[in-house]
Amino acid sequence: MKTSLLSLVLFCIFSTLQAGEAPALKAPEAAAIAQGDLASRGLEASVYIAEMVFKDSGLFGGEPAHWEVLWSKEFDAQTEGRKEIGLKIKMDGSYTRSVR
């Protein structure tokens, strides 16, 4: 009985912790940033946003909350031998390129 009650309490605590707040940077704003990045490099005619996923910050550290944007196709990255596959856009609007 005690084990079941403890399990239920822990489940409720972790469920509450994982149900984070809405992102500070909304999806349309993140899409505009990604589209602007493509346009600034002259890629908007051949590459488009294929997928956007909100990644919340982890419970025990790790990456901060961000939007993960994936391109419709990979293309040569600035680093020789690597391919760019998308962007990681933080809640303040700054971003980094995702490469493989």
Side-chain angles (χ1 to χ4, degrees):
M1 177 78 172
K2 288 182 182 180
T3 305
S4 298
L5 184 58
L6 180 60
S7 297
L8 179 61
V9 169
L10 288 175
F11 175 77
C12 291
I13 289 172
F14 284 115
S15 295
T16 302
L17 289 174
Q18 289 180 342
E21 296 179 20
L25 182 72
K26 303 299 181 198
E29 295 166 314
I33 291 169
Q35 193 63 42
D37 179 70
L38 288 174
S40 72
R41 297 189 283 161
L43 296 169
E44 72 275 11
S46 59
V47 180
Y48 58 88
I49 298 170
E51 185 177 342
M52 277 184 56
V53 177
F54 176 68
K55 303 281 186 161
D56 207 351
S57 57
L59 287 175
F60 303 108
E63 290 186 303
H66 65 277
W67 286 99
E68 186 173 86
V69 178
L70 299 177
W71 303 137
S72 58
K73 64 179 182 179
E74 58 185 39
F75 51 89
D76 291 336
Q78 293 174 340
T79 305
E80 190 174 330
R82 312 266 332 235
K83 298 287 186 181
E84 183 173 326
I85 60 170
L87 299 177
K88 284 185 180 180
I89 305 174
K90 296 178 186 173
M91 295 298 104
D92 65 1
S94 64
Y95 62 89
T96 56
R97 293 187 171 91
S98 300
V99 297
R100 339 182 161 175

